Amino acid sequence: MKVSIFDKDILKQFSNICATITAILSAVLIFLDIPNQWRITSGVVYVVFLSVIYIFLWIRANRLRQIDIRIGITTVVIKSGDIFKEDGLKAIAFNEYFDTRVDDKIIAKKSLNGQFILNHIDDVDKLNSDIESDDDLKNSIIGKEVKRKQGKTTKYKLGSSILIDDEYILTAFSRFNKNNQAELTIQEYVNFLLTFWNEINRLYAQRSVTVPVFGAGITRFKNGFEDIDINELLRIMIWTFKISKIKFAYPAKLTIIVHDDLLSQVNLYELKENE
């Protein structure tokens, strides 16, 4: 179970329910007298009733598949699903070179990045041309003619983004080491998110935006954060969104998609209770 049976948030919620029920019973019992022979039975029934409520709260907390969090005027939805089936703009994480070669060496075919290129891009050459000619991306270049064994050689600032087909926001998320492995320090992760939210603010045009849990795939974190889990990544994403300037006015919203295979690891109840 993701949520402990003695989770402090469940205990707090249960305590509030108990206080409400006790207040109601106290008011009723002023006018109603329970016969002596029924008092023990009534007490047992009351304890069983409260126990059922507690177990219900605990089971519900562990079975949550979606939560809505309010951050200012913005509704942030965290749920499982298919990002490509969501309405509005969809963010796809690329590496810092905006590589587009899906060969299980540079980009894995099963990754979100790979699935986007294979199934949602008809002309990869045009995509490459759009990336190279985008004026905002040109201003985000931090290195040209970078020596690499495979892939592109223009390096972009992490978080720099481009709108493609008025539907997808491609963003430079991860650094690539000499073995074409995606890696980040936690400081780079936070800086990426702060830049990314600013880019969203520039591109979203009052539309809803859906993003994945950045870093929950094959990205390797360094410098003591190798074991960072998806719950911590979600908390960092929410925190950086809170301190960014972006606001989604209703009906626009931000949706964070958790892959079905990872949902069992995510404590949505804790995220909701601590919003």
Side-chain angles (χ1 to χ4, degrees), residues 34-250:
I34 299 177
N36 290 334
Q37 65 268 28
W38 289 103
R39 289 187 177 180
I40 295 178
T41 301
S42 300
V44 171
V45 170
Y46 181 63
V47 171
V48 171
F49 175 66
L50 292 181
S51 299
V52 170
I53 290 177
Y54 191 88
I55 292 172
F56 168 77
L57 292 174
W58 177 56
I59 292 175
R60 186 185 65 173
N62 278 284
R63 290 186 175 180
L64 277 177
R65 296 186 63 83
Q66 175 176 329
I67 59 170
D68 294 356
I69 298 175
R70 292 289 294 180
I71 299 177
I73 65 171
T74 303
T75 298
V76 179
V77 180
I78 304 175
K79 67 176 185 178
S80 64
D82 183 348
I83 192 172
F84 296 112
K85 294 181 179 179
E86 296 295 315
D87 295 328
L89 300 176
K90 294 163 271 287
I92 308 295
F94 276 64
N95 62 32
E96 61 187 330
Y97 299 97
F98 282 101
D99 279 317
T100 56
R101 185 193 300 176
V102 183
D103 57 1
D104 283 332
K105 294 179 180 179
I106 295 178
I107 299 176
K109 295 177 183 177
K110 292 185 178 180
S111 69
L112 184 64
N113 188 183
Q115 288 299 302
F116 165 70
I117 295 171
L118 291 174
N119 301 323
H120 299 274
I121 293 296
D122 296 325
D123 189 341
V124 176
D125 289 335
K126 181 179 182 303
L127 174 61
N128 288 328
S129 176
D130 289 342
I131 291 171
E132 292 170 7
S133 62
D134 186 81
D135 289 334
D136 291 297
L137 283 185
K138 286 179 181 178
N139 293 329
S140 298
I141 292 174
I142 59 175
K144 277 196 169 186
E145 303 302 324
V146 180
K147 292 183 179 180
R148 299 179 70 200
K149 294 179 180 178
Q150 302 177 74
K152 298 181 181 180
T153 59
T154 300
K155 183 188 293 188
Y156 297 86
K157 176 184 176 182
L158 296 185
S160 54
S161 303
I162 178 176
L163 180 61
I164 295 293
D165 296 334
D166 204 36
E167 183 178 5
Y168 297 100
I169 295 176
L170 314 187
T171 186
F173 167 63
S174 58
R175 298 204 182 282
F176 257 29
N177 61 25
K178 63 181 181 180
N179 297 317
N180 284 328
Q181 295 173 328
E183 60 181 24
L184 278 179
T185 66
I186 200 65
Q187 292 82 7
E188 288 171 334
Y189 184 69
V190 171
N191 289 334
F192 155 77
L193 286 168
L194 293 173
T195 302
F196 173 74
W197 297 131
N198 285 333
E199 290 287 82
I200 291 295
N201 201 30
R202 175 176 66 86
L203 296 169
Y204 84 109
Q206 304 301 316
R207 289 172 287 183
S208 293
V209 176
T210 301
V211 303
V213 182
F214 292 112
I218 60 175
T219 303
R220 297 163 176 80
F221 285 88
K222 305 186 297 180
N223 299 347
F225 289 88
E226 289 82 1
D227 296 326
I228 191 168
D229 68 18
I230 190 171
N231 292 285
E232 293 170 305
L233 296 177
L234 277 168
R235 282 192 286 269
I236 294 172
M237 288 183 67
I238 293 169
W239 170 69
T240 55
F241 183 81
K242 282 182 179 179
I243 64 175
S244 71
K245 297 179 181 179
I246 187 171
K247 295 179 177 64
F248 291 86
Y250 181 84

Side-chain angles (χ1 to χ4, degrees), residues 11-44:
L11 290 170
K12 181 180 179 181
Q13 187 178 5
F14 178 69
S15 177
N16 292 336
I17 293 174
C18 285
T20 302
I21 294 175
T22 300
I24 294 172
L25 285 178
S26 297
V28 170
L29 291 176
I30 293 175
F31 307 99
L32 181 65
D33 185 33
I34 299 177
N36 290 334
Q37 65 268 28
W38 289 103
R39 289 187 177 180
I40 295 178
T41 301
S42 300
V44 171

